[in-house]
Structures are given as C-alpha cells and as structure tokens.
C-alpha cells in the first residue's frame, strides 16, 4: 500500500504544477501588448505510477502530476503566409509612395505643369503670327518660352533628386536586411544551445519571428526549419542565414533587372521594400527618358522651322532653343535671349 505521506506528496506536486500554470497565465496577460509575443500554454503530464503488491496482486497507484513543458502557441502555416503577403504588400506600398511623389513633381495636367507652359507658349506663337510687327508679342513669346524651359528643367532636376534619394534608400535597405540577417543568425545560435539543453526557448523564438517579420517587409524570403531548432533563410537563390553561418546580401545591384550580385551569382529581388525601390527607380528612369525624348523632339522641330525664317534684324538660320542632351541643358538660344527681335515670325523678314 502507498505510504501515509503519498497523498501529501501528490497534493504538493499538484500545487507546484498549478502554481506554474498560474505563472504562465500571468505571463500571457503581462505580455498582451508585447510585439511578437506568442501565447504560451503549460503542458501537464502524469508522473510515473507507483507499483506495489497488494492482496489482489501487483497494483499501480497514481502519483500525481508534473510540468511537462511550456508550449508556444503558434500557427507555422499562417506565419509563412504572413511573410509572403507582407513582402508583396510592402513592395506595392513603396512603389505607391514613390509614384505619388512623382505625380506631384509632374503635376499633370495643370496650368502650372509643363503642359500648361507648353500651351501658353504655343498661344504666344499664335499671337505673334497674328501680330508679326508687335515687339510686345515677341517679348511675351520669349517670356512664355523661358517659363516652359524653367518648368522642364525644374521637373528634370526634381526627378534627378528623386533618383538619388531612391539609390540612397536602396543602400540603406540592403544594410537593414543584412543587420536583420545577422540578428537571426545570432538568435539561431542561442536557440540551438537552449534546445540542446532541453529548454523551451519560447522568448527567443518570438524574437526571431519578429526579426523575420521585419525582414519580410524589406525583401522576399523563404525559410527552412531545422531539427536543432534553427531556421535557414533564403532570398531567391541566396542563402542569407545558413544553419551555422550568415552570408550578407551583396550591395551591388541592377535596378533595371531587379537583381543583386556578388560578381558570380545573380539574385532576383521580387518582393519587399527593396523590390519596390527597384521598381520605383525604373519608373523614375522611364519618366526622365520620356521627358528627354519630348524635349529633344520639341527642340528639333521648333529649331528646324525657326532656322528657315528671317527675323526683324534680317538674319536667318537662328535656333530658338539651345542644348543637345534632353531636359538637362534645355535653354533659349543666346540670340533669342539677347534680342527678342531675333525671333523669326515669317520667311521674308518683313514686319
């Protein structure tokens, strides 16, 4: 038969187990607003029974309960889906923010945009055609053309500034990715050590998940859990965090192809803020190219026509616009800036 103290022992073990359960519950409540905290649950197990001989034979007597471990309540499938969705969401959000800025830079359509200044210049040309002897019409045309030049140059410079800002953000983002990768690798090492010792590294697992969540906002990634509790992290074909090592993401990039390279392997970036920045750089480059194409065509066509005319000073072959390389060097020609009478309004030179 069990001893007289067996019941006391069972009650004592039960009290210690229930105390641990209360501590776990209290910890859950205390961390209700802690970012990344996963709810925990106490696993209660039955202690090994005690076998004793009785009059009826060998009998098994229960000995109470014990703490079997503290489980971290987490849905790994949902965690994986969150990493995928978060990566795509931040790619789209980054591009949206940049394109909204570009939209403000262009300001189209509007009276204060390039199109408004272009319309005003062509109206002045029409007014000069109707009043070819009017010096005031030439002054007005020169002023409206100068306004067009100023707006085009302003848009160009702001797009160049935006490009430089985006490139700086790309460098910073790659640095943040590598910082988080190194942090995950450090947490892996501590998780491996505690797991090997038989502990439940729940808090470390939460910290690693927070780092993964932050990383998914910056770049596309996939993970591979290992038997020792560690987690490998991959960005396309690049291993960012191996089982025991950390491999930095290369800083050499090509925004046009949305890739980074170490000179040997090319890694495609398809998600997160980094992909959004690459897409934004391509969009800004496209708008700059379109602006340059428009300026070159406008300058060529107007200069070709203006060179055939004769101005009030009796000269011909004069350009109306100066410059050769898109919007960057667009300006009025020196002759037009020096004297509005150098603006040709006809083929004869007559007022």
């Amino acid at each position: 038969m069990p001893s007289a103290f067996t019941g006391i022992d069972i009650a004592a073990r039960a009290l210690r187990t229930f105390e641990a359960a209360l501590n776990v519950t209290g910890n859950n409540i205390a961390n209700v607003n802690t970012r990344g905290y996963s709810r925990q649950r106490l696993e209660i197990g039955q202690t090994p029974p005690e076998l004793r001989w009785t009059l009826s034979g060998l009998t098994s007597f229960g000995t109470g309960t014990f703490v079997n471990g503290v489980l971290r309540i987490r849905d790994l499938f949902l965690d994986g889906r969150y990493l995928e969705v978060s990566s795509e969401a931040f790619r789209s959000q980054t591009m949206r923010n940049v394109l909204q800025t570009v939209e403000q830079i262009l300001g189209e359509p509007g009276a204060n945009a390039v199109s408004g200044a272009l319309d005003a210049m062509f109206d002045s040309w029409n007014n000069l055609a109707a009043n070819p002897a009017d010096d005031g019409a030439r002054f007005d045309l020169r002023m409206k053309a100068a306004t067009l030049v100023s707006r085009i140059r302003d848009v160009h410079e702001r797009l160049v500034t935006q490009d430089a800002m985006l490139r700086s953000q790309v460098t910073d983002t790659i640095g943040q990715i590598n910082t988080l990768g190194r942090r995950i690798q450090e947490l892996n090492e501590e998780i491996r050590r505690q797991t090997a010792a038989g502990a439940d590294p729940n808090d470390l697992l939460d910290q690693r998940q927070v780092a993964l969540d932050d990383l998914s906002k910056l770049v596309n990634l996939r993970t591979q859990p290992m038997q020792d509790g560690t987690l490998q992290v991959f960005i396309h074909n690049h291993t960012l965090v191996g089982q025991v090592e950390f491999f930095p993401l290369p800083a050499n990039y090509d925004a046009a192809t949305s890739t980074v390279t170490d000179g040997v392997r090319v890694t495609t970036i398809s998600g997160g803020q980094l992909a959004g920045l690459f897409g934004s750089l391509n969009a800004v480059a496209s708008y700059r190219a379109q602006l340059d194409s428009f300026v070159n065509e406008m300058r060529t066509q107007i200069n070709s026509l203006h060179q055939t005319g004769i101005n009030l000073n009796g000269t011909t072959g004069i350009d109306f616009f100066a410059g050769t390389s898109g919007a960057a060097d667009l300006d009025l020609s020196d002759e037009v800036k020096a004297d509005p009478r150098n603006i040709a309004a006809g083929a004869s030179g007559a007022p």
Side-chain angles (χ1 to χ4, degrees):
M1 293 293 293
S3 69
F5 296 100
T6 298
I8 297 176
D9 289 338
I10 292 174
R13 277 194 290 270
L15 286 174
R16 287 194 292 269
T17 301
F18 296 151
E19 179 185 17
L22 286 174
N23 290 339
V24 171
T25 300
N27 186 50
N28 287 336
I29 296 172
N31 287 282
V32 66
N33 292 320
T34 301
R35 183 190 173 212
Y37 179 78
S38 300
R39 184 170 63 88
Q40 297 177 4
R41 183 182 68 201
L42 189 72
E43 282 292 294
I44 300 176
Q46 183 179 4
T47 54
E50 189 176 297
L51 300 177
R52 291 178 179 270
W53 287 97
T54 64
L55 293 176
S56 59
L58 188 64
T59 304
S60 174
F61 291 93
T63 57
T65 62
F66 75 105
V67 174
N68 193 32
V70 179
L71 292 183
R72 176 172 171 262
I73 309 303
R74 196 86 185 188
D75 190 320
L76 298 181
F77 174 76
L78 291 180
D79 283 343
R81 287 293 297 141
Y82 175 82
L83 295 180
E84 294 175 10
V85 173
S86 174
S87 180
E88 176 56 26
F90 274 82
R91 183 196 69 82
S92 301
Q93 180 178 320
T94 300
M95 284 204 66
R96 182 198 64 183
N97 293 340
V98 173
L99 292 178
Q100 284 178 339
T101 300
V102 172
E103 186 177 33
Q104 294 173 359
I105 291 174
L106 298 177
E108 299 287 357
N112 295 322
V114 170
S115 61
L118 184 65
D119 289 341
M121 184 189 72
F122 282 135
D123 288 342
S124 291
W125 275 112
N126 289 331
N127 184 46
L128 176 60
N131 303 279
D134 186 359
D135 285 343
R138 282 178 167 78
F139 274 106
D140 181 67
L141 172 58
R142 185 175 67 173
M143 181 183 69
K144 296 296 174 55
T147 299
L148 174 63
V149 168
S150 176
R151 289 188 185 170
I152 290 175
R153 295 276 294 266
D154 178 65
V155 169
H156 169 77
E157 290 170 4
R158 293 173 69 183
L159 288 176
V160 169
T161 299
Q162 186 67 29
D163 181 272
M165 290 175 58
L166 289 172
R167 293 186 182 280
S168 176
Q169 289 180 47
V170 167
T171 301
D172 291 343
T173 300
I174 292 176
Q176 293 174 43
I177 290 170
N178 288 331
T179 297
L180 287 170
R182 187 175 295 279
R183 173 61 176 161
I184 292 170
Q185 190 266 335
E186 292 171 352
L187 288 168
N188 269 346
E189 291 181 359
E190 186 62 21
I191 289 170
R192 181 192 296 109
R193 187 184 66 80
Q194 291 195 17
T195 300
D200 296 315
N202 294 326
D203 292 340
L204 293 175
L205 292 172
D206 286 344
Q207 293 176 39
R208 187 176 67 184
Q209 190 61 48
V210 168
L212 283 170
D213 291 347
D214 290 342
L215 185 61
S216 71
K217 298 173 184 177
L218 301 178
V219 71
N220 53 291
L221 60 90
R222 58 185 176 86
T223 61
Q224 177 63 51
M226 308 303 291
Q227 290 292 331
D228 59 359
T230 61
L231 197 69
Q232 291 185 298
V233 181
F234 305 93
I235 300 174
H236 186 225
N237 60 351
H238 175 80
T239 301
L240 184 70
V241 181
Q243 195 165 3
V244 295
E245 293 181 89
F246 161 68
F247 305 94
L249 187 69
N252 186 24
Y253 65 89
D254 180 7
T257 58
S258 195
T259 58
V260 297
T261 181
D262 57 5
V264 177
R265 177 186 297 138
V266 175
T267 299
T268 299
I269 305 299
S270 59
Q273 179 175 301
L274 186 56
L277 291 172
F278 286 160
S280 299
L281 278 169
N282 292 333
V284 170
S286 174
Y287 287 123
R288 287 178 60 187
Q290 292 180 57
L291 181 64
D292 286 341
S293 178
F294 157 71
V295 168
N296 287 333
E297 185 68 13
M298 178 190 71
R299 179 164 43 204
T300 298
Q301 295 295 337
I302 291 180
N303 283 349
S304 296
L305 185 60
H306 193 264
Q307 288 170 4
T308 64
I310 301 174
N311 58 41
L312 294 182
N313 292 324
T315 55
T316 187
I318 293 177
D319 285 337
F320 186 80
F321 286 116
T324 58
S325 57
D329 63 352
L330 177 66
D331 201 352
L332 296 179
S333 68
D334 291 338
E335 293 85 353
V336 170
K337 287 196 292 185
D339 185 0
R341 289 173 62 85
N342 281 326
I343 298 176
S348 67

Coordinates of all heavy atoms in Angstrom, one line a residue, residues 24-97:
V24 N 2.4 31.0 -15.9 CA 2.3 31.0 -17.4 C 1.1 31.9 -17.8 O 1.3 32.8 -18.7 CB 2.1 29.6 -18.0 CG1 1.8 29.7 -19.5 CG2 3.4 28.8 -17.8
T25 N 0.0 31.8 -17.1 CA -1.2 32.6 -17.4 C -0.9 34.1 -17.2 O -1.2 35.0 -17.9 CB -2.4 32.2 -16.6 OG1 -2.7 30.8 -16.9 CG2 -3.6 33.1 -16.9
G26 N -0.2 34.3 -16.0 CA 0.2 35.7 -15.7 C 1.1 36.3 -16.7 O 1.0 37.5 -17.1
N27 N 2.0 35.5 -17.2 CA 3.0 35.9 -18.2 C 2.3 36.3 -19.5 O 2.6 37.3 -20.2 CB 4.0 34.9 -18.4 CG 5.2 35.3 -19.4 OD1 5.7 36.4 -19.1 ND2 5.4 34.6 -20.4
N28 N 1.3 35.5 -19.9 CA 0.5 35.8 -21.1 C -0.2 37.1 -20.9 O -0.3 37.9 -21.9 CB -0.6 34.7 -21.3 CG 0.1 33.4 -21.8 OD1 1.1 33.4 -22.4 ND2 -0.6 32.3 -21.6
I29 N -0.8 37.4 -19.8 CA -1.6 38.6 -19.5 C -0.6 39.8 -19.6 O -0.9 40.8 -20.1 CB -2.3 38.6 -18.2 CG1 -3.4 37.5 -18.3 CG2 -2.9 39.9 -17.9 CD1 -4.1 37.2 -17.0
A30 N 0.6 39.6 -18.9 CA 1.5 40.7 -18.8 C 2.1 41.1 -20.2 O 2.4 42.3 -20.4 CB 2.7 40.3 -17.9
N31 N 2.1 40.2 -21.1 CA 2.7 40.4 -22.5 C 1.6 40.6 -23.5 O 1.9 40.4 -24.7 CB 3.6 39.3 -22.8 CG 4.9 39.3 -22.1 OD1 5.8 40.1 -22.4 ND2 5.0 38.5 -21.1
V32 N 0.4 40.9 -23.1 CA -0.7 41.0 -24.1 C -0.4 42.1 -25.2 O -0.8 42.0 -26.3 CB -2.0 41.3 -23.4 CG1 -2.0 42.7 -22.8 CG2 -3.2 41.2 -24.4
N33 N 0.4 43.1 -24.8 CA 0.7 44.2 -25.8 C 2.1 44.1 -26.3 O 2.6 45.1 -26.9 CB 0.4 45.6 -25.2 CG -1.1 45.8 -25.0 OD1 -1.9 45.4 -25.8 ND2 -1.4 46.4 -23.8
T34 N 2.8 43.0 -26.0 CA 4.2 42.9 -26.4 C 4.3 42.5 -27.8 O 3.7 41.4 -28.2 CB 5.0 41.9 -25.5 OG1 5.0 42.3 -24.1 CG2 6.4 41.7 -26.0
R35 N 5.0 43.2 -28.7 CA 5.0 42.9 -30.1 C 5.7 41.5 -30.3 O 6.8 41.3 -29.8 CB 5.8 44.0 -30.9 CG 5.8 43.7 -32.4 CD 6.7 44.6 -33.1 NE 6.8 44.2 -34.5 CZ 7.9 44.3 -35.2 NH1 9.0 44.8 -34.7 NH2 7.9 43.9 -36.5
G36 N 5.1 40.7 -31.1 CA 5.7 39.4 -31.4 C 5.5 38.3 -30.3 O 5.9 37.1 -30.6
Y37 N 4.9 38.6 -29.2 CA 4.8 37.6 -28.2 C 3.8 36.6 -28.6 O 2.7 36.9 -29.1 CB 4.3 38.3 -26.8 CG 4.1 37.3 -25.7 CD1 5.2 36.8 -25.0 CD2 2.8 36.9 -25.4 CE1 5.0 35.8 -24.0 CE2 2.6 35.9 -24.4 CZ 3.7 35.4 -23.7 OH 3.5 34.5 -22.7
S38 N 4.1 35.3 -28.4 CA 3.2 34.2 -28.7 C 2.6 33.7 -27.3 O 3.4 33.4 -26.4 CB 3.9 33.1 -29.4 OG 4.5 33.5 -30.6
R39 N 1.3 33.5 -27.3 CA 0.7 32.9 -26.1 C 1.3 31.6 -25.8 O 1.6 30.8 -26.7 CB -0.8 32.8 -26.4 CG -1.6 32.3 -25.2 CD -3.1 32.4 -25.4 NE -3.5 31.6 -26.6 CZ -3.9 30.3 -26.5 NH1 -3.8 29.7 -25.3 NH2 -4.2 29.6 -27.5
Q40 N 1.5 31.3 -24.5 CA 2.1 30.1 -24.0 C 1.1 29.2 -23.2 O 0.2 29.8 -22.6 CB 3.3 30.4 -23.2 CG 4.4 31.1 -24.0 CD 5.6 31.5 -23.1 OE1 5.7 31.1 -21.9 NE2 6.6 32.1 -23.7
R41 N 1.3 27.9 -23.2 CA 0.4 27.0 -22.5 C 1.3 26.0 -21.8 O 2.2 25.4 -22.3 CB -0.5 26.3 -23.5 CG -1.5 25.4 -22.8 CD -2.4 24.7 -23.9 NE -1.6 23.8 -24.7 CZ -2.0 23.4 -25.9 NH1 -3.0 23.8 -26.4 NH2 -1.2 22.5 -26.5
L42 N 0.9 25.8 -20.5 CA 1.6 24.8 -19.7 C 1.1 23.4 -20.1 O -0.1 23.1 -20.1 CB 1.4 25.0 -18.2 CG 2.2 24.2 -17.3 CD1 3.7 24.7 -17.3 CD2 1.7 24.3 -15.9
E43 N 2.1 22.5 -20.4 CA 1.8 21.1 -20.6 C 1.9 20.3 -19.4 O 3.0 20.2 -18.8 CB 2.7 20.5 -21.7 CG 2.3 21.0 -23.1 CD 1.0 20.3 -23.6 OE1 0.9 19.1 -23.7 OE2 0.0 21.1 -23.8
I44 N 0.8 19.8 -18.9 CA 0.8 19.0 -17.6 C 0.9 17.5 -17.9 O 0.0 17.0 -18.7 CB -0.4 19.4 -16.8 CG1 -0.4 20.9 -16.4 CG2 -0.4 18.5 -15.5 CD1 -1.6 21.3 -15.7
G45 N 1.8 16.8 -17.3 CA 1.9 15.4 -17.6 C 1.7 14.6 -16.3 O 1.7 15.1 -15.2
Q46 N 1.4 13.3 -16.4 CA 1.2 12.4 -15.3 C 2.5 11.8 -14.9 O 3.2 11.3 -15.7 CB 0.2 11.3 -15.7 CG -0.2 10.4 -14.5 CD -1.2 9.4 -15.0 OE1 -1.6 9.3 -16.1 NE2 -1.6 8.5 -14.0
T47 N 2.8 11.9 -13.6 CA 4.0 11.3 -13.1 C 3.9 9.8 -13.2 O 2.8 9.2 -13.1 CB 4.3 11.7 -11.6 OG1 3.1 11.4 -10.8 CG2 4.6 13.2 -11.6
P48 N 5.1 9.1 -13.3 CA 5.0 7.6 -13.4 C 4.3 7.0 -12.2 O 4.5 7.4 -11.0 CB 6.5 7.2 -13.4 CG 7.2 8.5 -13.9 CD 6.4 9.6 -13.3
P49 N 3.5 6.0 -12.4 CA 2.8 5.4 -11.3 C 3.7 4.6 -10.4 O 4.8 4.2 -10.8 CB 1.8 4.4 -12.0 CG 2.4 4.1 -13.3 CD 3.2 5.4 -13.7
E50 N 3.2 4.3 -9.3 CA 4.0 3.5 -8.3 C 3.4 2.1 -8.2 O 2.2 2.0 -8.0 CB 3.9 4.2 -6.9 CG 4.9 3.7 -5.9 CD 4.8 4.5 -4.6 OE1 5.2 5.7 -4.7 OE2 4.4 3.9 -3.6
L51 N 4.2 1.1 -8.4 CA 3.7 -0.3 -8.4 C 4.0 -0.9 -7.1 O 5.1 -0.8 -6.5 CB 4.4 -1.1 -9.5 CG 4.2 -0.6 -10.9 CD1 5.1 -1.4 -11.9 CD2 2.8 -0.6 -11.3
R52 N 2.9 -1.4 -6.5 CA 3.0 -2.1 -5.2 C 2.2 -3.4 -5.2 O 1.2 -3.5 -5.9 CB 2.5 -1.1 -4.1 CG 3.4 0.1 -3.8 CD 2.8 1.0 -2.8 NE 3.6 2.1 -2.5 CZ 4.6 2.2 -1.6 NH1 4.9 1.1 -0.9 NH2 5.3 3.3 -1.4
W53 N 2.7 -4.3 -4.3 CA 2.0 -5.6 -4.2 C 0.9 -5.4 -3.1 O 1.1 -4.8 -2.1 CB 2.9 -6.7 -3.7 CG 3.8 -7.1 -4.8 CD1 5.1 -6.8 -5.1 CD2 3.5 -8.1 -5.8 NE1 5.6 -7.4 -6.2 CE2 4.6 -8.2 -6.7 CE3 2.3 -8.8 -6.1 CZ2 4.6 -9.1 -7.8 CZ3 2.3 -9.7 -7.2 CH2 3.5 -9.8 -8.0
T54 N -0.3 -5.8 -3.5 CA -1.4 -5.8 -2.6 C -1.9 -7.2 -2.5 O -1.4 -8.2 -3.1 CB -2.5 -4.9 -3.1 OG1 -3.0 -5.4 -4.3 CG2 -2.0 -3.5 -3.3
L55 N -3.0 -7.4 -1.7 CA -3.6 -8.7 -1.5 C -4.1 -9.3 -2.9 O -4.1 -10.5 -3.1 CB -4.7 -8.7 -0.5 CG -4.3 -8.4 1.0 CD1 -5.5 -8.3 1.9 CD2 -3.3 -9.5 1.5
S56 N -4.5 -8.4 -3.7 CA -5.0 -8.8 -5.0 C -3.9 -8.9 -6.1 O -4.2 -9.2 -7.3 CB -6.1 -7.8 -5.5 OG -5.6 -6.5 -5.6
G57 N -2.7 -8.6 -5.7 CA -1.6 -8.7 -6.7 C -0.9 -7.4 -6.9 O -1.1 -6.4 -6.1
L58 N -0.1 -7.3 -8.0 CA 0.6 -6.1 -8.3 C -0.4 -5.0 -8.7 O -1.1 -5.2 -9.7 CB 1.7 -6.3 -9.4 CG 2.6 -5.2 -9.7 CD1 3.5 -4.9 -8.4 CD2 3.5 -5.6 -10.8
T59 N -0.3 -3.8 -8.0 CA -1.3 -2.8 -8.3 C -0.5 -1.5 -8.6 O 0.5 -1.2 -8.0 CB -2.2 -2.5 -7.1 OG1 -2.9 -3.8 -6.8 CG2 -3.3 -1.5 -7.4
S60 N -1.1 -0.7 -9.6 CA -0.5 0.6 -10.0 C -1.2 1.7 -9.3 O -2.4 1.8 -9.4 CB -0.6 0.7 -11.5 OG -0.1 2.0 -11.9
F61 N -0.5 2.5 -8.6 CA -1.0 3.7 -7.9 C -0.5 5.0 -8.5 O 0.7 5.2 -8.8 CB -0.6 3.7 -6.4 CG -1.2 2.6 -5.6 CD1 -0.5 1.4 -5.5 CD2 -2.5 2.7 -5.0 CE1 -1.1 0.3 -4.7 CE2 -3.0 1.7 -4.3 CZ -2.3 0.5 -4.1
G62 N -1.4 5.9 -8.8 CA -1.1 7.2 -9.4 C -0.3 8.0 -8.4 O -0.5 8.0 -7.2
T63 N 0.6 8.8 -8.9 CA 1.5 9.7 -8.0 C 1.3 11.2 -8.3 O 2.1 12.0 -7.7 CB 3.0 9.3 -8.2 OG1 3.3 9.4 -9.6 CG2 3.2 7.8 -7.8
G64 N 0.4 11.5 -9.1 CA 0.1 13.0 -9.3 C 0.6 13.5 -10.7 O 0.6 12.8 -11.7
T65 N 0.9 14.8 -10.7 CA 1.2 15.5 -12.0 C 2.6 16.1 -11.9 O 3.2 16.3 -10.8 CB 0.2 16.5 -12.3 OG1 0.2 17.5 -11.2 CG2 -1.2 16.0 -12.4
F66 N 3.1 16.5 -13.1 CA 4.3 17.3 -13.2 C 4.3 18.2 -14.4 O 3.4 18.0 -15.3 CB 5.6 16.4 -13.3 CG 5.8 15.7 -14.6 CD1 6.8 16.2 -15.5 CD2 4.9 14.7 -15.0 CE1 6.9 15.5 -16.7 CE2 5.1 14.1 -16.2 CZ 6.1 14.5 -17.1
V67 N 5.1 19.2 -14.5 CA 5.2 20.1 -15.6 C 6.0 19.5 -16.7 O 7.2 19.2 -16.6 CB 5.8 21.4 -15.2 CG1 6.0 22.3 -16.4 CG2 5.0 22.1 -14.1
N68 N 5.3 19.2 -17.8 CA 5.9 18.5 -19.0 C 6.6 19.5 -19.9 O 7.5 19.1 -20.7 CB 4.9 17.7 -19.7 CG 5.5 16.8 -20.7 OD1 6.6 16.3 -20.5 ND2 4.9 16.5 -21.8
G69 N 6.3 20.8 -19.8 CA 6.9 21.8 -20.6 C 5.9 23.0 -20.9 O 4.8 22.9 -20.5
V70 N 6.5 24.1 -21.5 CA 5.7 25.2 -21.8 C 5.6 25.4 -23.3 O 6.7 25.6 -23.9 CB 6.3 26.5 -21.2 CG1 5.4 27.7 -21.5 CG2 6.3 26.4 -19.6
L71 N 4.5 25.2 -23.9 CA 4.3 25.2 -25.3 C 4.1 26.6 -25.8 O 3.3 27.4 -25.2 CB 3.2 24.3 -25.8 CG 3.4 22.8 -25.6 CD1 2.2 22.0 -26.2 CD2 4.7 22.3 -26.3
R72 N 4.6 27.0 -27.0 CA 4.4 28.2 -27.6 C 3.3 28.0 -28.7 O 3.4 27.3 -29.6 CB 5.7 28.7 -28.3 CG 5.7 29.9 -29.1 CD 7.1 30.3 -29.5 NE 7.2 31.4 -30.5 CZ 7.4 31.2 -31.8 NH1 7.4 30.0 -32.3 NH2 7.4 32.3 -32.6
I73 N 2.2 28.7 -28.5 CA 1.0 28.6 -29.4 C 1.2 29.4 -30.7 O 1.2 30.7 -30.6 CB -0.3 29.0 -28.7 CG1 -0.4 28.3 -27.4 CG2 -1.5 28.6 -29.6 CD1 -0.3 26.8 -27.5
R74 N 1.5 28.8 -31.8 CA 1.8 29.5 -33.0 C 1.4 28.6 -34.2 O 1.6 27.4 -34.2 CB 3.4 29.7 -33.1 CG 3.8 30.8 -34.1 CD 3.7 32.2 -33.5 NE 4.0 33.2 -34.5 CZ 4.1 34.5 -34.2 NH1 4.0 34.9 -32.9 NH2 4.4 35.3 -35.1
D75 N 0.9 29.3 -35.2 CA 0.5 28.6 -36.4 C 1.6 28.8 -37.5 O 1.7 29.9 -38.0 CB -0.9 29.1 -37.0 CG -1.4 28.2 -38.1 OD1 -0.7 27.8 -38.9 OD2 -2.7 28.0 -38.1
L76 N 2.4 27.8 -37.7 CA 3.5 28.0 -38.7 C 3.0 28.2 -40.1 O 3.7 29.0 -40.8 CB 4.4 26.7 -38.6 CG 5.1 26.4 -37.3 CD1 5.9 25.2 -37.4 CD2 5.9 27.6 -36.8
F77 N 1.9 27.7 -40.5 CA 1.4 27.9 -41.8 C 1.0 29.4 -42.0 O 1.3 30.0 -43.0 CB 0.1 27.1 -42.1 CG -0.6 27.4 -43.4 CD1 0.0 26.9 -44.6 CD2 -1.7 28.1 -43.4 CE1 -0.6 27.2 -45.8 CE2 -2.4 28.4 -44.6 CZ -1.8 28.0 -45.8
L78 N 0.3 30.0 -41.0 CA 0.0 31.4 -41.0 C 1.2 32.3 -41.0 O 1.2 33.3 -41.7 CB -1.0 31.8 -39.9 CG -2.4 31.2 -39.9 CD1 -3.2 31.6 -38.7 CD2 -3.1 31.6 -41.2
D79 N 2.2 31.9 -40.2 CA 3.5 32.6 -40.2 C 4.1 32.7 -41.6 O 4.5 33.8 -42.1 CB 4.5 32.0 -39.3 CG 4.1 32.3 -37.8 OD1 3.4 33.3 -37.6 OD2 4.6 31.6 -36.9
G80 N 4.1 31.6 -42.3 CA 4.6 31.5 -43.7 C 3.8 32.4 -44.6 O 4.4 33.1 -45.4
R81 N 2.5 32.3 -44.5 CA 1.7 33.1 -45.4 C 1.9 34.6 -45.1 O 1.9 35.4 -46.0 CB 0.2 32.8 -45.2 CG -0.2 31.4 -45.8 CD -0.1 31.5 -47.4 NE -1.0 32.4 -47.9 CZ -0.8 33.2 -48.9 NH1 0.4 33.2 -49.5 NH2 -1.7 34.1 -49.4
Y82 N 2.0 35.0 -43.8 CA 2.2 36.4 -43.5 C 3.5 36.9 -44.1 O 3.5 38.0 -44.6 CB 2.3 36.6 -42.0 CG 2.6 38.0 -41.6 CD1 1.6 39.0 -41.5 CD2 3.9 38.4 -41.3 CE1 1.9 40.3 -41.2 CE2 4.3 39.6 -40.9 CZ 3.3 40.6 -40.9 OH 3.6 41.9 -40.6
L83 N 4.6 36.1 -44.1 CA 5.8 36.6 -44.7 C 5.7 36.8 -46.2 O 6.2 37.8 -46.7 CB 6.9 35.5 -44.5 CG 7.3 35.2 -43.0 CD1 8.4 34.2 -43.0 CD2 7.8 36.5 -42.3
E84 N 4.9 36.0 -46.9 CA 4.7 36.2 -48.3 C 3.9 37.4 -48.6 O 4.2 38.3 -49.4 CB 4.0 35.0 -48.9 CG 4.8 33.7 -48.8 CD 4.0 32.5 -49.3 OE1 2.9 32.7 -49.9 OE2 4.5 31.3 -49.2
V85 N 2.7 37.6 -47.9 CA 1.8 38.7 -48.1 C 2.5 40.0 -47.7 O 2.3 41.0 -48.4 CB 0.5 38.5 -47.3 CG1 -0.4 39.7 -47.4 CG2 -0.2 37.3 -47.9
S86 N 3.2 40.0 -46.6 CA 3.9 41.2 -46.1 C 4.9 41.7 -47.1 O 5.0 42.9 -47.4 CB 4.6 40.9 -44.8 OG 5.4 42.0 -44.4
S87 N 5.6 40.7 -47.7 CA 6.7 41.1 -48.7 C 6.0 41.8 -49.9 O 6.5 42.8 -50.4 CB 7.4 39.8 -49.2 OG 8.4 40.1 -50.2
E88 N 4.9 41.3 -50.4 CA 4.2 41.9 -51.6 C 3.6 43.2 -51.2 O 3.6 44.1 -52.0 CB 3.2 40.9 -52.1 CG 2.3 41.4 -53.2 CD 3.1 41.9 -54.4 OE1 4.3 41.4 -54.6 OE2 2.7 42.8 -55.2
A89 N 3.0 43.3 -50.0 CA 2.4 44.5 -49.6 C 3.3 45.7 -49.5 O 3.1 46.8 -49.9 CB 1.7 44.3 -48.2
F90 N 4.5 45.4 -48.9 CA 5.5 46.5 -48.8 C 6.1 46.8 -50.1 O 6.6 48.0 -50.3 CB 6.5 46.1 -47.7 CG 6.1 46.5 -46.3 CD1 5.3 45.7 -45.6 CD2 6.5 47.7 -45.8 CE1 4.9 46.0 -44.4 CE2 6.1 48.0 -44.5 CZ 5.3 47.2 -43.8
R91 N 6.2 45.9 -51.1 CA 6.7 46.2 -52.4 C 5.7 47.2 -53.0 O 6.1 48.3 -53.6 CB 6.8 45.0 -53.3 CG 7.3 45.3 -54.7 CD 7.1 44.1 -55.6 NE 5.7 44.0 -55.9 CZ 5.0 44.7 -56.8 NH1 5.7 45.6 -57.5 NH2 3.7 44.5 -57.0
S92 N 4.4 46.9 -53.0 CA 3.4 47.8 -53.6 C 3.3 49.1 -52.9 O 3.2 50.2 -53.5 CB 2.0 47.1 -53.5 OG 2.1 45.8 -54.2
Q93 N 3.4 49.1 -51.5 CA 3.3 50.3 -50.8 C 4.5 51.3 -51.1 O 4.3 52.5 -51.2 CB 3.3 50.0 -49.3 CG 3.2 51.2 -48.4 CD 3.1 50.9 -46.9 OE1 2.4 49.9 -46.5 NE2 3.8 51.6 -46.1
T94 N 5.7 50.7 -51.2 CA 6.8 51.5 -51.5 C 6.7 52.2 -52.9 O 6.9 53.4 -53.0 CB 8.1 50.6 -51.5 OG1 8.3 50.1 -50.2 CG2 9.4 51.5 -51.9
M95 N 6.3 51.4 -53.9 CA 6.1 52.0 -55.2 C 5.0 53.0 -55.2 O 5.1 54.0 -55.9 CB 5.8 50.8 -56.2 CG 6.9 50.0 -56.6 SD 6.7 49.2 -58.3 CE 6.7 50.7 -59.3
R96 N 3.9 52.7 -54.5 CA 2.8 53.7 -54.4 C 3.3 55.1 -53.9 O 3.0 56.1 -54.4 CB 1.7 53.2 -53.6 CG 0.5 54.1 -53.5 CD -0.4 53.8 -52.3 NE 0.3 54.0 -51.0 CZ -0.2 53.7 -49.9 NH1 -1.4 53.1 -49.8 NH2 0.5 53.9 -48.7
N97 N 4.0 55.0 -52.8 CA 4.5 56.2 -52.2 C 5.4 57.0 -53.1 O 5.3 58.3 -53.2 CB 5.3 55.9 -50.9 CG 4.4 55.4 -49.8 OD1 3.2 55.5 -49.8 ND2 4.9 54.7 -48.8

